[in-house]
Amino acid sequence: MALPMSRASVNGTDHALPADPRRTLLDWLREDLGLTGTKKGCDHGQCGACTVLVDGRRINSCLSLAQLHDGDTIETIESIGSADNLSPLQKAFVTHDGFQCGYCTPGQICSAKAMMQELSEGWASAVSDDVTAAPDITREELRERMSGNLCRCGAYSNIIAALEEVLADAASERADA
Amino acid sequence: MKSFTLDHATDTDSALSALRGGATTIAGGTNLVDLMKLQVETPDRLVSIRRTGLDTIVEDQDGLRVGALVTNADCAADQRVRTSWPLLAKAILAGASPQLRNRATTGGNLCQRTRCGYFYDTSQACNKREPGSGCAARDGFNRIHAVLGTSEACIATYPGDMAVAMLALDAVVLTQGPNGAREIPIAEFHRMPGEDPSRDNTLKPGELITAVRLPAPTGGVQIYRKVRDRASYAFALVSVAADVSMEGGRIARCSLAFGSLGTVPWRDRAVEELLVGETPSPALYTKAADLLLKDARGFGHNDFKIPLAARALAATLHEATQG
Amino acid sequence: MSRTDTVTYDSPDTRNLLDHTRQGVIGKPLDRPEGPLKVSGSATYSAEWKFDDCAEGVLVLATIAQGTVQRLHKQRVLDMPGVLAVLADEAMTRRSTQGTAGEAPVQGVHTVDYFAQPIALVVAETFEQARDAALALEVDYVESKSPIALDPESPDAEVEDPDNSETVEGGDLEKAMHDAAFAIDVEYRTPGHASAAMEPHATIAQWHGDRLELHGSYQMLAYNVKEIADCLSIDPEKVRIIAPYVGGGFGSKLGITHEAVAAAIAARQLKRPVRVVMSRQQVFETVMRRSETRQRVRLASDASGKLIGLGHEALVSNLPDEEFAEPVTQATEFLYGGENRLLKVEVARISRMTAGSVRAPGEAVGMQVLEAAMDELAEAVDIDPVELRKRNLPAKVPVEGTAYSSRMLVEALDQGAEAFGWDQRRPRPCQTREGDWWIGMGMASAARVNMLVPAEARVTLKADGAALVETDQTDIGTGSYAILGQIAGEMLGLPIDRVNVVLGDTSLPAGAGSGGSFGAISTGSAVMRACEAIRTTLSEALGCDTDALDLKDGTATSGDLSQSLSDLLGGNDIVETGKIEPGKTAEDFSQASYGAFFAEVAVHAFTGETRVRRMTGAFGFGRVLNAKTARSQCLGGMVWGIGSALTEELAFDLRDGHLVNHDLAEYHVPVHADVPAIEVILLEERDAAASPLQAKGVGELGICGAAGAITNAIYNACGARLRNFPMTLDKVIPHLPDPFAEVA
């Protein structure tokens, strides 16, 4: 039942998945592909530093065996923007000082990117008053939706400020369009 | 993590065949990989059931059929679930983090293992992990442990949220096994520890969860109240799933399930019967709580769960009946 | 040409030079220069350096608390796929190193001092192989026949006076308590805390002949080099540490930890690079903890609330022979009056991982308790808690008589109260109910001692007029890259993009390191000193007095003289090393950063859950070097205050001494949803006694008392006066009024 082709697309490039089934998606990205922007903070799905996007959805790459990603499309922080060509989201993190040590930051940013997609699809959260309705984008909603990403430096309120700016810019662009 | 082989089932039959060969299923892996890294779980063979096609949600005259591989996130985002079984969406959204909900599956979440720190730590005695080794939690740090349904052998809770809502909604777990299909009412799915805490549920060897069926919606007020130490991303200390209908100022129908209170998702029909036909009042809530908790027993650090459960129940009933 | 210009800080530098320079970058809220690297995942942290043929090591931890390792069953593990070695070298460390130790901690992994102490290292070709093999290693132990206590409050625990803190006694406290119009005598407890920096401890070690190179996650590299060298009995000159990015420290990376020495030993034996990364559980179990405390606070006041007596006595713990004891009463010594006083710390010797400096050692837990007790006094006296603080600010430090260098506490209290809307607070508990929630407000003072420590930095003004700042100072999220660049840019008259800052490499001059809130002011003073030397050279070249030299945007001006720096330098670099040493100002003045916290909380009337709804902090810490990074430090500290007040607690099983909640699922650091909008007010101040920059430390101030404000708000909300941190709902519930009762 082993699949003949065990490959995944990472940031647009096709790669063979690792031979050792124990290797997690996180360790594969960091050790085999050299994509160390994705961080290992706890290795047990308890901090969110390892957040990447798989088929557009955010997951904890530490809790996912790499071989289970055959055929998947994976995006890491490296695909969102480089140091000399930052995305608006990354720029907002810099402007609002949405990080200090920087170790949780790629995970926060990947998580935020996916969260904005979830918002646009109308997903509810645990703090939504009405789970049947499209969510209001309040600070409380943003905090709840980002709670899978720990930041021990305590940059939380700066991160939320960065997200508010990006969401407001996106909304005004939509209004202009 | 010990070495293991990993195969990929392409349909239910190949998954069942692998199970017969002694394989352990892996779907999202959010709990299993966690435990394998610590060697709390040490399977020799894994079979991935991710590509078995059990990832659809179908509505029919019997209700809603949620495939075993539907992720928690997709289940909570489904408009039918949100509209007709909001309790389920709320409970799922109260659990874990968005990242974990994107990977965790319906079937996997039902089989989630306890968060007992002694179960998780191979230096400690745990009858669930290593039958016969003892229970270090009983006299240990047991703040998160159960006060109902415990045994000499084990006081660990089922830690999840989704199953608690499903219990209140009278869900049915659908399986396929060596002897064909089986329907297990969710109240009979999780098993109390008794003398053998190593088995968390009533799945038989070689049996695979294929879906969960939710019966037709009740139209009641549905509330999931999760009480926890952090505002998010924490397991429940106590949770209450409620589905309550009122008629003429009286409780016409109610179902109540409790999480992290017992060793299994907890439901007590006698409490519901006590409430039906009554006019809501603080005194009534107290009576219901007294009945619910009459056999509750704390082990020191978790004694607070008994008054907490009574208070969470009162708050939930108050909210559900004052609408 | 390079010189070292050393200054021992014996008298306050009141020139306030940075107020007279004209570049205008000092203090500005500039973005961190390394920000683009961090947000794009291209800043390289310790475990991320790539070396060919790097082997992977995983530590094996003891499963007993006290005894000896009789046998390691190595062979079965060595036979496992990919396994290269099982090491239990006696040079491996048994305990973590205390901050600024500069020498080896207790070594030898044959003996077990505490549960989960490292006893061996398993090395394999891959991480997966090493992890499996480490768990497969069977160990035979002989348990100690005369174990010491596991519980600091057990009667069996030996209690000593610590080496690092002296008892302060003055007058007659007993009599003051007896004579007082109001006397508060209360006992509080705080649990152990974990630093829980997001980046787990990690080291990659490799040998180049007899030279050791480490890529690691450490806070104080100049000390860490000495510690590693001492462990391995080699010359510190032979050790180089590279740590340009450090994923948080909060004290846990002050001194070297187990993985560094183990990696170095393994790399030497295997003759190849070896990486050892601790698992999150290992970081929790074996690196370092903040001691739990039991604190007795006695406050004796006259009828107006003025203190006539103050007692603060603490019991903390550590392993036998460790010098460090959580200096709980550190700020109590100088914060409030009350000449009759007794301030004392005792340390219980127990078997539990090393207790050390977790963010703001002393004040973090001492201030939250003192400030909670002050709230009790304010209630007894029946005056506003802000007013009580103001009535108790002494002119000089009680008993010692030392003068204060500067103290912005009154300003912080007033401006914080104003911004927060403190006048809206209702003094009695249980007055405000919104739906199912009781709402309350609380406040506390903030105080944290200031320290200047030895530091060196090299500044090169290049022939093209750009500057290079070099020091082994680390930036663990503190803002060193930004701040040191701003100091150099301001002093040399350069726009910030003409200043490059290189940090975290021990081949560079030894900075202060990151700890005790002293990194920025100490290393920054060294940078300033180097720049002053460069300014002297430039003024000579221009032909003017140094005092008359004006540098801005790459041009040197004095009166009618004006020349671009590149012309003035004539193709030559100027290289200067600045060095600062603490001097008499440290003894002549009581130096501390001050502030005030205001918090509004909601306590659930049924379940006792507490949520912080908003917080305001106002802080005075001398000159603000970068308003953005300073604000972030304050914010971060207040988030720690939320954790300390509500959720954080190391839970040890007192039967075998193991840590039960050894991961981020069960040790609850605050998440996004726990943290509300936080307002930070930075007060302008100059403290010339503190440093030539007139700046004081800010890295820890935001936590020092924050939890007290939250605790006091809980009482104001629902009447639960809790004295056992953290204020989890199980402790709140017994005090809650009937949730169905009408609000009084």
Side-chain angles (χ1 to χ4, degrees):
Chain A
M1 288 185 291
L3 293 184
M5 190 190 72
S6 224
R7 305 185 70 84
S9 162
V10 180
N11 301 338
T13 306
D14 185 56
H15 292 278
L17 291 165
D20 189 337
R22 291 177 294 184
R23 183 139 284 202
T24 60
L25 177 58
L26 173 62
D27 287 328
W28 183 56
L29 293 169
R30 279 170 69 85
E31 307 306 330
D32 295 338
L33 306 189
L35 296 170
T36 54
T38 308
K39 304 303 182 193
K40 183 183 282 190
C42 74
D43 219 13
H44 286 271
Q46 301 164 356
C47 79
C50 68
T51 302
V52 299
L53 279 66
V54 173
D55 297 334
R57 300 292 188 210
R58 49 179 162 167
I59 72 161
N60 299 110
S61 61
C62 72
L63 285 185
S64 198
L65 300 175
Q67 286 193 5
L68 296 183
H69 288 278
D70 48 292
D72 285 354
T73 298
I74 295 153
E75 295 165 81
T76 69
I77 185 70
E78 285 87 352
S79 77
I80 293 180
S82 60
D84 50 14
N85 187 24
L86 298 178
S87 70
L89 183 57
Q90 290 166 312
K91 279 184 194 158
F93 266 69
V94 175
T95 311
H96 290 275
D97 216 28
F99 59 92
Q100 293 180 37
C101 81
Y103 200 77
C104 74
T105 314
Q108 301 272 1
I109 291 171
C110 286
S111 192
K113 183 182 175 184
M115 179 201 69
M116 290 179 187
Q117 179 63 28
E118 292 162 13
L119 281 171
S120 72
E121 292 178 34
W123 287 18
S125 85
V127 299
S128 305
D129 285 336
D130 177 1
V131 291
T132 67
D136 292 332
I137 302 176
T138 61
R139 279 188 189 169
E140 191 189 11
E141 280 281 0
L142 296 178
R143 288 182 194 125
E144 165 59 24
R145 288 162 193 266
M146 289 299 293
S147 282
N149 292 85
L150 271 53
C151 168
R152 185 56 159 165
C153 296
Y156 292 128
S157 46
N158 289 349
I159 292 170
I160 297 302
L163 299 185
E164 285 185 312
E165 180 191 295
V166 173
L167 285 162
D169 287 351
S172 71
E173 267 174 40
R174 276 198 304 276
D176 292 345
Chain B
M1 195 181 291
K2 285 191 185 289
S3 284
F4 57 88
T5 61
L6 174 61
D7 290 320
H8 304 264
T10 48
D11 52 31
T12 313
D13 285 346
S14 59
L16 288 170
S17 151
L19 286 180
R20 274 197 300 280
T24 298
T25 53
I26 183 165
T30 49
N31 192 205
L32 184 59
V33 174
D34 175 26
L35 292 166
M36 285 170 63
K37 284 181 180 181
L38 300 167
Q39 299 198 1
V40 174
E41 298 268 15
T42 54
D44 298 324
R45 289 187 60 187
L46 285 187
V47 59
S48 165
I49 54 171
R50 296 187 60 77
R51 312 280 171 181
T52 51
L54 299 170
D55 56 354
T56 56
I57 301 178
V58 180
E59 191 170 13
D60 60 23
Q61 72 277 8
D62 296 330
L64 199 69
R65 189 186 154 105
V66 181
L69 288 168
V70 172
T71 64
N72 282 176
D74 285 340
C75 185
D78 187 274
Q79 271 312 338
R80 295 161 292 186
V81 173
R82 290 162 72 172
T83 306
S84 302
W85 295 272
L87 176 57
L88 180 59
K90 289 175 183 178
I92 288 173
L93 292 170
S97 71
Q99 289 95 316
L100 289 164
R101 297 195 295 266
N102 274 329
R103 201 70 184 165
T105 63
T106 305
N109 202 190
L110 282 174
C111 299
Q112 183 179 10
R113 309 215 66 188
T114 185
R115 296 298 308 185
C116 171
Y118 299 88
F119 169 73
Y120 258 81
D121 188 336
T122 51
S123 74
Q124 300 295 313
C126 172
N127 289 319
K128 188 182 276 298
R129 188 186 67 245
E130 195 181 335
S133 64
C135 172
R138 264 187 98 80
D139 300 319
F141 190 81
N142 47 39
R143 186 166 183 273
I144 64 172
H145 290 72
V147 296
L148 287 168
T150 59
S151 70
E152 283 298 313
C154 183
I155 62 170
T157 56
Y158 167 84
D161 297 291
M162 181 196 78
V164 180
M166 287 179 171
L167 179 60
L169 293 170
D170 291 312
V172 177
V173 181
L174 310 183
T175 69
Q176 285 281 340
N179 304 317
R182 198 156 75 101
E183 299 198 354
I184 310 170
I186 193 162
E188 294 164 23
F189 181 79
H190 293 98
R191 69 180 280 291
M192 287 203 261
E195 289 175 7
D196 177 17
S198 67
R199 288 168 51 227
D200 295 348
N201 56 54
T202 56
L203 282 177
K204 293 178 178 165
E207 203 171 20
L208 178 73
I209 299 173
T210 55
V212 172
R213 195 176 64 227
L214 299 172
T218 61
V221 173
Q222 299 191 352
I223 293 169
Y224 189 72
R225 177 178 293 274
K226 180 173 180 176
V227 183
R228 46 185 157 176
D229 282 323
R230 285 197 294 217
S232 186
Y233 204 10
F235 292 95
L237 292 168
V238 164
S239 68
V240 187
D243 181 359
V244 180
S245 303
M246 298 289 290
E247 245 176 58
R250 291 174 184 273
I251 299 172
R253 192 197 52 77
C254 91
S255 60
L256 296 167
F258 300 84
S260 298
L261 185 64
T263 50
V264 297
W266 200 264
R267 187 164 174 186
D268 188 333
R269 306 272 174 174
V271 174
E272 296 167 13
E273 284 162 20
L274 178 150
L275 289 164
V276 167
E278 299 294 328
T279 304
S281 71
L284 179 67
Y285 310 150
T286 303
K287 265 173 72 183
D290 287 347
L291 183 58
L292 171 73
L293 297 161
K294 68 179 190 311
D295 296 325
R297 183 198 160 176
F299 295 89
H301 299 94
N302 68 346
D303 292 349
F304 74 95
K305 284 193 175 185
I306 298 170
L308 176 62
R311 289 170 159 273
L313 174 61
T316 306
L317 288 173
H318 187 60
E319 182 184 349
T321 58
Q322 304 303 308
Chain C
M1 188 189 66
S2 175
R3 306 179 297 197
T4 299
D5 184 24
T6 305
V7 160
T8 302
Y9 207 51
D10 285 328
S11 61
D13 183 345
T14 53
R15 293 175 301 156
N16 292 6
L17 201 54
L18 291 168
D19 288 323
H20 306 296
T21 50
R22 296 211 304 125
Q23 190 60 35
V25 291
I26 199 69
K28 290 288 180 302
L30 301 185
D31 294 343
R32 293 168 199 260
E34 81 283 15
L37 294 176
K38 285 179 173 173
V39 300
S40 61
S42 40
T44 307
Y45 293 82
S46 55
E48 296 166 356
W49 297 81
K50 285 284 173 258
F51 300 103
D52 289 342
D53 203 30
C54 187
E56 299 287 342
V58 171
L59 289 165
V60 179
L61 309 188
T63 56
I64 64 164
Q66 298 173 73
T68 53
V69 175
Q70 190 180 40
R71 187 175 168 210
L72 298 172
H73 296 262
K74 291 184 185 180
Q75 196 53 49
R76 211 190 117 233
V77 169
L78 288 167
D79 291 343
M80 292 175 73
V83 174
L84 300 167
V86 178
L87 301 172
D89 195 293
E90 283 302 290
M92 286 168 62
T93 55
R94 192 146 89 220
R95 302 181 185 179
S96 292
T97 317
Q98 296 290 350
T100 71
E103 60 182 25
V106 177
Q107 292 170 276
V109 290
H110 181 72
T111 303
V112 178
D113 281 351
Y114 58 93
F115 202 103
Q117 174 201 299
I119 51 169
L121 180 78
V122 175
V123 189
E125 294 289 349
T126 72
F127 167 63
E128 288 80 1
Q129 290 166 340
R131 181 178 57 189
D132 185 9
L135 281 175
L137 183 64
E138 281 182 45
V139 184
D140 296 338
Y141 300 96
V142 178
E143 298 220 35
S144 171
K145 290 195 174 61
S146 52
I148 62 169
L150 296 171
D151 177 356
E153 298 205 31
S154 139
D156 300 335
E158 191 180 333
V159 175
E160 299 175 350
D161 291 336
D163 298 332
N164 72 332
S165 94
E166 283 181 17
T167 299
V168 175
E169 269 188 285
D172 186 340
L173 178 59
E174 300 285 347
K175 182 170 183 304
M177 288 291 285
H178 182 265
D179 295 346
F182 300 100
I184 300 290
D185 185 352
V186 285
E187 187 171 80
Y188 280 75
R189 281 179 176 76
T190 65
H193 293 149
S195 292
M198 292 306 296
E199 180 201 20
H201 294 58
T203 295
I204 304 172
Q206 53 188 326
W207 292 82
H208 306 288
D210 64 348
R211 304 186 73 84
L212 173 64
E213 184 176 285
L214 301 173
H215 289 79
S217 192
Y218 321 108
Q219 294 178 226
M220 307 191 70
L221 305 190
Y223 296 88
N224 303 140
V225 160
K226 292 178 191 163
E227 291 153 5
I228 287 271
D230 193 22
C231 284
L232 302 174
S233 302
I234 61 173
D235 182 352
E237 294 290 319
K238 306 273 189 193
V239 180
R240 181 182 176 194
I241 295 179
I242 297 163
Y245 302 103
V246 177
F250 313 112
S252 70
K253 297 168 182 170
L254 287 171
I256 54 154
T257 45
H258 317 288
E259 93 293 346
V261 180
I265 291 168
R268 184 163 60 186
Q269 177 170 325
L270 296 169
K271 298 185 169 38
R272 59 192 280 196
V274 173
R275 174 170 69 171
V276 181
V277 183
M278 283 200 211
S279 71
R280 175 54 62 184
Q281 290 81 356
Q282 291 178 337
V283 172
F284 267 102
E285 291 171 335
T286 195
V287 168
M288 209 250 286
R289 63 187 170 95
R290 187 202 301 284
S291 174
E292 71 298 318
T293 71
R294 184 186 70 199
Q295 302 181 43
R296 181 187 187 191
V297 178
R298 281 179 284 177
L299 302 172
S301 86
D302 66 15
S304 73
K306 193 165 162 45
L307 287 167
I308 56 171
L310 172 56
H312 195 174
E313 297 157 87
L315 176 69
V316 304
S317 72
N318 211 337
L319 283 157
D321 306 321
E322 291 292 323
E323 283 185 21
F324 179 85
E326 183 81 18
V328 175
T329 60
Q330 194 159 256
T332 315
E333 289 182 25
F334 58 81
L335 184 59
Y336 298 127
E339 289 292 330
N340 300 296
R341 54 177 52 206
L342 174 61
L343 313 179
K344 185 175 170 62
V345 176
E346 291 182 311
V347 58
R349 298 301 177 187
I350 60 168
S351 167
R352 198 174 278 188
M353 84 182 110
T354 317
S357 297
V358 176
R359 196 174 193 179
E363 286 90 332
V365 285
M367 281 294 293
Q368 73 191 44
V369 167
L370 177 65
E371 290 301 289
M374 284 291 279
D375 200 64
E376 300 199 45
L377 178 63
E379 185 186 33
V381 180
D382 195 22
I383 61 172
D384 187 277
V386 173
E387 179 57 29
L388 178 69
R389 269 80 176 174
K390 291 204 242 172
R391 281 185 196 177
N392 283 295
L393 304 184
K396 292 193 168 177
V397 175
V399 182
E400 292 172 16
T402 321
Y404 295 96
S405 60
S406 67
R407 180 176 63 192
M408 294 284 273
L409 183 48
V410 171
E411 295 84 347
L413 288 163
D414 286 344
Q415 293 187 34
E418 167 80 24
F420 180 79
W422 180 250
D423 58 351
Q424 299 300 303
R425 173 179 178 266
R426 303 165 85 169
R428 300 274 164 264
C430 305
Q431 301 294 303
T432 309
R433 174 97 175 244
E434 292 181 12
D436 285 345
W437 298 87
W438 293 107
I439 311 299
M441 295 182 188
M443 61 77 54
S445 297
R448 169 68 178 160
V449 293
N450 183 67
M451 287 171 273
L452 186 70
V453 302
E456 237 179 285
R458 182 167 65 224
V459 179
T460 305
L461 182 60
K462 301 204 165 189
D464 66 356
L468 173 66
V469 178
E470 296 172 297
T471 156
D472 81 354
Q473 173 69 29
T474 46
D475 187 331
I476 63 171
T478 39
S480 309
Y481 281 106
I483 292 161
L484 298 182
Q486 282 169 275
I487 293 168
E490 188 64 42
M491 289 292 292
L492 299 176
L494 297 174
I496 206 67
D497 60 2
R498 296 285 284 159
V499 183
N500 186 27
V501 180
V502 177
L503 302 179
D505 182 339
T506 56
S507 66
L508 305 174
S514 301
S517 300
F518 51 59
I521 63 158
S522 303
T523 309
S525 293
V527 169
M528 182 180 178
R529 192 56 58 180
C531 291
E532 281 201 74
I534 292 173
R535 288 173 65 97
T536 302
T537 306
L538 290 174
S539 60
E540 286 163 4
L542 188 66
C544 69
D545 284 351
T546 308
D547 293 347
L549 179 70
D550 202 359
L551 297 174
K552 188 168 194 303
D553 292 332
T555 300
T557 310
S558 183
D560 297 339
L561 301 171
S562 182
Q563 234 180 316
S564 76
L565 288 181
S566 53
D567 286 351
L568 200 57
L569 290 161
N572 298 311
D573 293 353
I574 304 176
V575 186
E576 295 285 358
T577 301
K579 189 170 181 186
I580 185 95
E581 300 266 7
K584 288 193 193 126
T585 56
E587 295 142 33
D588 294 346
F589 297 94
S590 167
Q591 300 174 26
S593 300
Y594 293 90
F597 302 103
F598 297 85
E600 179 180 296
V601 305
V603 180
H604 199 275
F606 287 86
T607 63
E609 294 158 282
T610 298
R611 303 287 179 249
V612 180
R613 301 219 301 186
R614 60 193 183 94
M615 270 183 105
T616 297
F619 305 100
F621 46 93
R623 184 191 302 280
V624 178
L625 299 172
N626 177 320
K628 184 172 288 190
T629 58
R631 177 178 172 276
S632 291
Q633 287 281 37
C634 296
L635 278 177
M638 288 160 82
V639 172
W640 275 59
I642 294 173
S644 185
L646 300 181
T647 55
E648 292 187 40
E649 172 174 25
L650 289 175
F652 291 92
D653 189 317
L654 297 178
R655 297 168 302 175
D656 65 1
H658 89 281
L659 176 64
V660 181
N661 57 345
H662 58 187
D663 61 29
L664 290 167
E666 302 300 335
Y667 181 89
H668 289 141
V669 306
V671 300
H672 271 283
D674 292 305
V675 178
I678 297 177
E679 180 181 21
V680 175
I681 298 165
L682 306 180
L683 303 170
E684 271 301 327
E685 183 186 23
R686 299 287 180 266
D687 191 332
S691 66
L693 303 163
Q694 296 82 41
K696 293 185 275 198
V698 65
E700 299 163 309
L701 181 61
I703 179 174
C704 302
I710 294 166
T711 304
N712 298 339
I714 292 174
Y715 176 72
N716 183 245
C718 70
R721 184 67 87 183
L722 306 176
R723 301 192 181 97
N724 194 358
F725 288 90
M727 309 316 188
T728 45
L729 59 92
D730 46 313
K731 296 167 190 165
V732 176
I733 283 175
H735 303 273
L736 286 174
D738 177 359
F740 292 108
E742 293 297 312
V743 176

